[in-house]
Amino acid sequence: MKIKDGFVVRNVGEKILVVPVGDRTASFNGMLVLNDMAKFFWDNLQNDIEIDELVNIVCQNYDVSFDVAKNDILEFTDKLQKAGILE
């Protein structure tokens, strides 16, 4: 899975925003606000990656169990999938 083309991340003040650009604005109306962990997930989803591979990357970089990381990632990617942001 990976993020579809047509989205950019911008830091605005203390917020991390994802906004659609170009043709993507026709299919996604709005923006997302990410926290630091969601930004880490987002960055890793720029390339095609499997969930368990992303979980392992999170576990290598943060002090979190595999199960907790997987649950958080599945929750995040489910929201992205419902919004039509993932391929």
Side-chain angles (χ1 to χ4, degrees), residues 20-58:
V21 294
D23 293 338
R24 191 62 62 198
T25 59
S27 62
F28 186 84
N29 185 13
M31 67 180 77
L32 301 173
V33 178
L34 305 179
N35 63 23
D36 291 335
M37 188 88 261
K39 172 71 166 66
F40 185 83
F41 297 162
W42 183 274
D43 290 344
N44 282 279
L45 287 165
Q46 293 303 304
N47 300 308
D48 196 19
I49 190 169
E50 297 295 324
I51 292 292
D52 284 348
E53 187 178 355
L54 180 53
V55 172
N56 286 326
I57 291 169
V58 170

Side-chain angles (χ1 to χ4, degrees), residues 4-21:
K4 290 180 179 178
D5 291 335
F7 293 94
V8 296
V9 175
R10 295 289 183 255
N11 291 321
V12 178
E14 295 183 16
K15 298 201 184 274
I16 304 167
L17 302 177
V18 175
V19 294
V21 294

